[in-house]
Amino acid sequence: MSKVSYIKSFLEPRSVAMIGVSRKTGAESFNILESIQHQGFKGKLYPVNPYADEILGIKVYSSIRELPDGIELAVMVTPRKKAAKIVKECAQKGIKAIVIVGQGFADATDQKGKNLQNEIVEIARQNNIRIVGPNTIGTANAFVDFTLSFAKQFALDKIPVGLISQSGLFFGQINELVMIGKGIDLGNGCDVDVADCLEYFATDPDIKVIALHIEGVKDGRKFVRAALSASRKKPVVVLKTGRQANAASAAQSHTGSIIGNDDIYDAAFKQCGLIRAETIDEMSDLVKLFSYTSEIKGRGIGIVTLSGGVGILTMDACEKNGLDVVKLSRQTKEKITNSAPKWLDIANPLDIWPAVMTSKLPLGEAFEKHLLTFMGDPKINAAIMILAAWMEKITPSLTEILVKVAKAHPEKPMILCPYEGWVYDVDRRDLEKKLHKTGKILVLPASDRAARALGHLAGYSESDRK
Amino acid sequence: MSKVSYIKSFLEPRSVAMIGVSRKTGAESFNILESIQHQGFKGKLYPVNPYADEILGIKVYSSIRELPDGIELAVMVTPRKKAAKIVKECAQKGIKAIVIVGQGFADATDQKGKNLQNEIVEIARQNNIRIVGPNTIGTANAFVDFTLSFAKQFALDKIPVGLISQSGLFFGQINELVMIGKGIDLGNGCDVDVADCLEYFATDPDIKVIALHIEGVKDGRKFVRAALSASRKKPVVVLKTGRQANAASAAQSHTGSIIGNDDIYDAAFKQCGLIRAETIDEMSDLVKLFSYTSEIKGRGIGIVTLSGGVGILTMDACEKNGLDVVKLSRQTKEKITNSAPKWLDIANPLDIWPAVMTSKLPLGEAFEKHLLTFMGDPKINAAIMILAAWMEKITPSLTEILVKVAKAHPEKPMILCPYEGWVYDVDRRDLEKKLHKTGKILVLPASDRAARALGHLAGYSESDRK
């Protein structure tokens, strides 16, 4: 059994003591008991509050001492001054895993906060207790409807994404992306750290991609070892903040992290095989892509577009990201040209509109026929398709066409960029959800972003992993 | 009167001859008559089709010869082989402005297409006719409900954005952004060119920002003169595609543009004071921002966040874009600290959550009070606010709070990034629309993108435009 198996207690505990739960419920109360109930968690809950007998229909304990034995996880939403005492009481109850939500420790401006954090760590070490936090939004696991977050309607989804973060930010959706299948916000990271979580998610069969947000690491050697090992098993996408000088110093006060020169981090990430995202959007695109596939057979890209102009824009982005917008084979060209005017430039990028409009087939069938031909070109390893949301209304529908094409070439990743906004009563987000459900087609909002993501996929695919 | 005043005929014609309109209507017909009717255009329409007497309730003329005199604009949706003859007939009818939608001219693979285009240009010159196209989606003008696009449900909106494009792409929405107040897709640009349109929009009082998508220009000197002059009057955002070698050669065949080394374009854009966007997303962000304001008093940025981690990420982005995340004045700090625990780090970025939660005021009032204090800091020239959509449900609502704060400091641009996805029954897009309507608050999807846009705004504000 892995030495980090204790992390399971933080992600799928059978029982949770909730220390300091408020009697206030409803809007603006941010009650963690209400939020975990709302999520539908099936484990046992033990709220502790000396001033209540019952909250939200659940029996409340007036002290930790009163709690039954054998509780797996405790979460503390209490002021900092009480923290050391509570950790001691948890120790006496035999609780081995604690999440400390509260702030005012290494993140505080005063020395006292730092001392308090050290005191807690000391108690935890003596009692063989593991701590996540302080200064954290907690942990979450969509697979067992579990969340410690105080925000009631977190969008958890059973996606194969393991999130390790130093900020609650990523526990919400990023743009339209749910980032969490399972997630751990390390906060100040006084005990459980990035390396521990990397090690855990690396062997978690529910997880296909690890999303990592860090401001800094404390034990560089441990981090490198864990990152190297994890990235050999599955893609690890990292967003490192605190890069610039002032931001780095702010990060130091935010979570007490030790921040080094960004170049050192960059080199370490490369050495460890981590995939570095530069922006929030890139992080979101990469996590989406790698949760869908981590393999591409080569760098040959096909581009299908309804606009010659955006084809060229996408070609720019492909070249910039080391991808090869391949020349079509003569057979492919001839098959598509068949019905089109002779002067029409049938090439890659394929401006498909004129070829479809001059075809004798009905619109949907013409699209399907040309797309199947195009994707069959042996030089094409993946495709970016810049089509429009209204195509969902034709027969066959855009979804049907794309699924058929994807099934014919399961080894060729396909990204749809439906951003022309020619809506025709189709909601782009509904279309996106529908396509994601098929598990065949990835949707990204812009084709230059699709090229950037595919560049990373190619790099990962080519990397020497064991 | 400006020498490019004829462009008005392309953007708000009183009468339009539509040559080659199809009898097919409804879904999948892409009938431009149907689309212009749908848009609610009030000008007179004269469809021409030898095989119909009436289409969509409108009288159809069997030939151009039969048309009444004095028609301002003609649009041709006809095969290339008929083009020269039709242009001649238009000339005989005294029509002085023609949009040629059809393809197969300089964009074709054969020499014949190029010859046909030259022939048309020759006829136009002799008859003092101006042509937009060929190979274009046409022109559009939300201010008079006018569109020549064959796509029925284009999202036109009376926004102060003048679009000049070499691709139909931008005539659709980019992400969630409607790009067009008025728009001209130049296509092959055989006659009317980028410089002409720049000159026109530069003095159009409806237009506050010019959005320019180009693959290349044919007359460099004319372009530089027009760009220099336009950028002195209003911001011009440019997205240049065909940057990389292969893409450049594709662009040449797409619109027959002469493509030069990208470095030359880059230098020319700088010299002309154009604001260059690198990606579709950046283009969309900049057009949004500049349609809202083109002024900022300095580079001092305030960041308000619900997550320390994203504050640091945003700080990184500010530093990278030459912005100054200023230190708060002692007065500002003291006012905010007032109700908060002493150990709390009240700084910029301001992690506002702990200060609000420890305040004795109700949630919404605490937010409002702290935001007003923060924005009052004299060193802050603009703010990026990373708040959550659910705040629309508190009292006062997020919209009310932000409008109040913005009104108190109208000279300080404010960008809201509501991307935490803690939705609480608030649709982020509805919120965005509501906020945009106030004309006070810009919404962008990610705070690092907000910083990038503000960096450009600062550059433009500082530029020497007499």
Side-chain angles (χ1 to χ4, degrees):
Chain A
M1 200 159 179
S2 156
K3 68 188 199 307
V4 292
S5 59
Y6 66 86
I7 287 188
K8 207 172 169 182
S9 296
F10 288 100
L11 286 173
E12 41 188 302
R14 281 148 298 188
S15 49
V16 187
M18 310 186 96
I19 301 156
V21 165
S22 168
R23 287 171 296 176
K24 245 180 88 183
T25 59
E28 303 188 19
S29 68
F30 306 102
N31 188 316
I32 58 165
L33 182 60
E34 192 171 11
S35 133
I36 199 170
Q37 264 195 344
H38 178 88
Q39 205 60 247
F41 178 61
K42 302 289 185 306
K44 281 187 183 150
L45 300 174
Y46 300 96
V48 178
N49 179 327
Y51 307 107
D53 296 326
E54 195 185 288
I55 299 172
L56 295 163
I58 295 184
K59 180 189 169 180
V60 173
Y61 294 78
S62 65
S63 71
I64 296 169
R65 231 169 314 118
E66 278 180 41
L67 289 172
D69 290 335
I71 291 176
E72 191 168 359
L73 175 69
V75 53
M76 291 164 49
V77 283
T78 47
R80 69 176 191 176
K81 63 180 180 216
K82 294 186 182 169
K85 185 166 166 281
I86 293 172
V87 173
K88 267 185 212 153
E89 290 177 5
C90 287
Q92 283 155 13
K93 270 287 152 190
I95 295 172
K96 294 295 179 197
I98 303 178
V99 173
I100 304 179
V101 172
Q103 296 180 299
F105 297 90
D107 52 291
T109 50
D110 60 1
Q111 184 57 40
K112 196 174 168 194
K114 288 164 190 63
N115 296 345
L116 282 171
Q117 183 165 313
N118 291 337
E119 192 184 344
I120 287 164
V121 171
E122 196 46 47
I123 301 164
R125 296 247 158 94
Q126 284 163 7
N127 293 279
N128 204 21
I129 288 173
R130 305 311 305 253
I131 292 179
V132 165
N135 185 19
T136 172
I137 206 163
T139 56
N141 182 350
F143 296 82
V144 295
D145 303 312
F146 171 66
T147 176
L148 291 179
S149 154
F150 56 79
K152 196 174 144 200
Q153 293 196 343
F154 264 138
L156 293 182
D157 196 358
K158 290 183 186 64
I159 50 172
V161 178
L163 171 75
I164 307 164
S165 157
Q166 282 192 274
S167 158
L169 164 73
F170 295 96
F171 270 61
Q173 260 173 269
I174 305 296
N175 301 333
E176 287 160 27
L177 175 70
V178 174
M179 288 284 284
I180 296 183
K182 303 183 183 182
I184 300 174
D185 173 10
L186 292 169
N188 293 1
C190 80
D191 177 33
V192 175
D193 67 9
V194 175
D196 299 329
C197 300
L198 276 172
E199 196 179 331
Y200 183 82
F201 282 139
T203 58
D204 183 337
D206 294 331
I207 299 304
K208 280 171 67 180
V209 51
I210 301 172
L212 179 57
H213 159 257
I214 57 171
E215 291 173 355
V217 293
K218 283 161 190 164
D219 184 340
R221 205 172 287 196
K222 186 182 171 195
F223 171 78
V224 166
R225 212 161 41 225
L228 202 52
S229 163
S231 75
R232 280 185 179 141
K233 298 197 181 75
K234 49 192 79 168
V236 180
V237 180
V238 59
L239 181 69
K240 163 78 172 71
T241 57
R243 302 179 72 152
Q244 315 280 339
N246 290 337
S249 113
Q252 202 145 3
S253 91
H254 172 228
T255 53
S257 291
I258 293 159
I259 311 288
N261 183 306
D262 189 70
D263 293 339
I264 297 173
Y265 277 100
D266 205 61
F269 294 155
K270 281 207 183 80
Q271 184 201 330
C272 298
L274 304 196
I275 301 151
R276 186 168 191 173
E278 298 291 324
T279 61
I280 292 266
D281 286 342
E282 190 173 11
M283 175 80 160
S284 133
D285 293 346
L286 290 176
V287 168
K288 261 189 181 178
L289 176 60
F290 282 106
S291 69
Y292 154 73
T293 183
S294 55
E295 207 180 351
I296 185 173
K297 302 280 183 195
R299 289 181 174 265
I301 305 297
I303 301 168
V304 178
T305 170
L306 293 178
S307 141
V310 74
I312 286 156
L313 181 150
T314 310
M315 209 171 173
D316 267 346
C318 283
E319 290 186 70
K320 191 177 160 196
N321 289 284
L323 300 170
D324 187 12
V325 181
V326 294
K327 288 208 185 311
L328 295 185
S329 73
R330 192 157 27 116
Q331 291 89 321
T332 308
K333 279 194 180 199
E334 281 173 1
K335 264 194 187 168
I336 297 174
T337 315
N338 208 8
S339 62
K342 289 284 166 272
W343 52 260
L344 193 65
D345 190 21
I346 297 298
N348 184 19
L350 175 64
D351 187 355
I352 200 171
W353 188 251
V356 165
M357 288 311 278
T358 53
S359 164
K360 281 174 193 97
L361 292 170
L363 198 64
E365 289 170 42
F367 268 116
E368 184 177 298
K369 180 170 169 281
H370 290 328
L371 289 180
L372 276 168
T373 304
F374 185 81
M375 285 300 281
D377 194 294
K379 285 194 221 149
I380 290 177
N381 303 119
I384 300 171
M385 303 211 171
I386 304 133
L387 301 172
W390 58 255
M391 287 176 59
E392 192 58 15
K393 292 278 182 187
I394 65 180
T395 310
S397 71
L398 182 58
T399 302
E400 287 165 321
I401 294 171
L402 293 179
V403 168
K404 194 160 179 186
V405 174
K407 276 187 180 162
H409 302 284
E411 78 293 358
K412 302 186 177 186
M414 270 170 55
I415 303 182
L416 173 72
C417 304
Y419 61 179
E420 303 208 9
W422 301 355
V423 274
Y424 279 99
D425 313 321
V426 180
D427 186 303
R428 193 172 57 82
R429 294 197 298 186
D430 291 343
L431 174 67
E432 196 165 334
K433 274 183 205 150
K434 197 170 160 191
L435 281 163
H436 276 295
K437 252 183 220 157
T438 68
K440 299 280 172 203
I441 323 291
L442 184 72
V443 178
L444 290 181
S447 59
D448 44 11
R449 285 167 61 170
R452 182 176 62 184
L454 286 174
H456 282 293
L457 178 62
Y460 181 77
S461 256
E462 289 159 3
S463 66
D464 179 29
R465 303 193 304 282
K466 79 182 156 205
Chain B
M1 202 160 175
S2 157
K3 69 188 196 308
V4 292
S5 58
Y6 67 86
I7 288 189
K8 205 170 171 185
S9 295
F10 288 100
L11 287 172
E12 41 188 303
R14 281 148 297 189
S15 50
V16 187
M18 310 185 97
I19 301 154
V21 165
S22 168
R23 286 171 296 174
K24 245 179 87 182
T25 58
E28 304 188 17
S29 68
F30 306 102
N31 188 317
I32 58 165
L33 181 61
E34 191 171 12
S35 135
I36 200 171
Q37 265 195 342
H38 178 87
Q39 205 60 246
F41 178 61
K42 304 288 187 304
K44 281 186 184 152
L45 300 175
Y46 299 96
V48 178
N49 180 327
Y51 307 107
D53 296 325
E54 194 184 289
I55 300 173
L56 294 163
I58 296 184
K59 180 191 170 179
V60 174
Y61 293 79
S62 64
S63 70
I64 296 169
R65 232 170 313 119
E66 278 181 42
L67 289 172
D69 291 334
I71 292 177
E72 191 167 2
L73 175 70
V75 53
M76 290 163 50
V77 283
T78 48
R80 70 176 189 175
K81 63 178 181 221
K82 294 188 183 166
K85 184 168 166 275
I86 293 173
V87 173
K88 266 184 214 156
E89 290 178 8
C90 287
Q92 283 154 12
K93 269 286 153 193
I95 297 172
K96 293 295 179 198
I98 304 178
V99 174
I100 303 178
V101 172
Q103 296 180 300
F105 297 89
D107 52 292
T109 51
D110 61 1
Q111 184 57 40
K112 194 174 169 193
K114 288 166 191 62
N115 295 344
L116 282 171
Q117 184 166 314
N118 290 338
E119 193 185 342
I120 288 164
V121 171
E122 196 44 48
I123 301 166
R125 294 247 159 93
Q126 285 164 5
N127 292 280
N128 203 22
I129 289 173
R130 305 313 303 252
I131 292 179
V132 165
N135 186 19
T136 172
I137 206 163
T139 56
N141 182 350
F143 295 83
V144 295
D145 303 313
F146 171 66
T147 176
L148 291 180
S149 155
F150 57 79
K152 196 176 146 200
Q153 293 198 342
F154 265 136
L156 293 183
D157 196 359
K158 291 183 185 64
I159 50 172
V161 178
L163 172 75
I164 307 163
S165 157
Q166 282 193 275
S167 158
L169 164 73
F170 295 96
F171 270 61
Q173 258 173 273
I174 305 297
N175 302 333
E176 288 160 26
L177 175 70
V178 174
M179 288 285 283
I180 296 184
K182 304 184 183 183
I184 300 173
D185 173 10
L186 292 170
N188 293 1
C190 80
D191 175 34
V192 174
D193 68 9
V194 175
D196 299 328
C197 300
L198 276 171
E199 196 180 331
Y200 183 82
F201 283 140
T203 56
D204 183 337
D206 293 332
I207 298 304
K208 279 171 68 179
V209 50
I210 300 172
L212 180 56
H213 159 257
I214 55 171
E215 291 174 355
V217 294
K218 284 164 190 161
D219 184 342
R221 204 172 287 197
K222 184 180 171 196
F223 171 78
V224 166
R225 213 164 36 227
L228 202 55
S229 163
S231 76
R232 281 187 177 138
K233 297 197 182 74
K234 49 192 78 169
V236 180
V237 180
V238 58
L239 181 68
K240 162 79 172 71
T241 58
R243 302 179 70 153
Q244 315 281 340
N246 291 336
S249 112
Q252 201 145 2
S253 91
H254 173 228
T255 53
S257 291
I258 293 159
I259 310 288
N261 184 307
D262 190 68
D263 293 339
I264 297 173
Y265 276 100
D266 205 61
F269 295 155
K270 281 208 184 80
Q271 186 202 329
C272 298
L274 304 196
I275 301 152
R276 186 168 191 174
E278 298 291 322
T279 61
I280 291 266
D281 286 342
E282 190 173 10
M283 174 80 160
S284 131
D285 294 347
L286 290 176
V287 169
K288 260 188 181 179
L289 176 60
F290 282 107
S291 69
Y292 155 73
T293 182
S294 56
E295 206 180 352
I296 185 174
K297 302 279 184 196
R299 289 182 174 263
I301 305 296
I303 301 168
V304 179
T305 170
L306 293 178
S307 142
V310 75
I312 287 156
L313 181 151
T314 311
M315 209 172 171
D316 268 346
C318 283
E319 289 184 69
K320 191 178 158 195
N321 288 286
L323 300 170
D324 187 11
V325 181
V326 293
K327 287 205 185 315
L328 296 184
S329 73
R330 191 151 33 110
Q331 291 89 320
T332 308
K333 279 194 182 202
E334 280 173 2
K335 264 194 188 166
I336 297 175
T337 316
N338 209 8
S339 62
K342 289 284 167 271
W343 51 260
L344 192 66
D345 190 21
I346 297 298
N348 183 20
L350 175 64
D351 187 355
I352 200 172
W353 187 250
V356 165
M357 289 311 277
T358 54
S359 164
K360 281 173 193 97
L361 292 170
L363 198 64
E365 289 171 39
F367 268 116
E368 183 178 299
K369 180 170 169 282
H370 290 327
L371 288 181
L372 276 168
T373 305
F374 185 81
M375 285 300 282
D377 194 293
K379 284 193 221 151
I380 290 177
N381 303 118
I384 299 171
M385 304 211 169
I386 304 132
L387 302 172
W390 56 255
M391 286 176 60
E392 192 57 15
K393 291 277 182 188
I394 65 179
T395 310
S397 71
L398 182 57
T399 302
E400 288 166 321
I401 294 171
L402 292 179
V403 168
K404 194 161 178 183
V405 174
K407 276 188 181 162
H409 302 284
E411 78 294 359
K412 301 185 179 188
M414 271 169 58
I415 302 182
L416 174 71
C417 305
Y419 60 0
E420 304 210 7
W422 300 357
V423 272
Y424 279 98
D425 314 319
V426 180
D427 185 304
R428 193 172 57 81
R429 292 197 298 185
D430 291 342
L431 174 66
E432 197 165 332
K433 274 182 205 151
K434 197 170 160 189
L435 281 162
H436 276 295
K437 253 183 219 157
T438 68
K440 300 280 172 201
I441 322 291
L442 183 72
V443 177
L444 289 180
S447 58
D448 42 13
R449 284 168 60 170
R452 182 177 62 185
L454 286 173
H456 282 293
L457 178 62
Y460 181 77
S461 256
E462 289 160 2
S463 65
D464 178 29
R465 305 190 306 283
K466 68 176 149 212

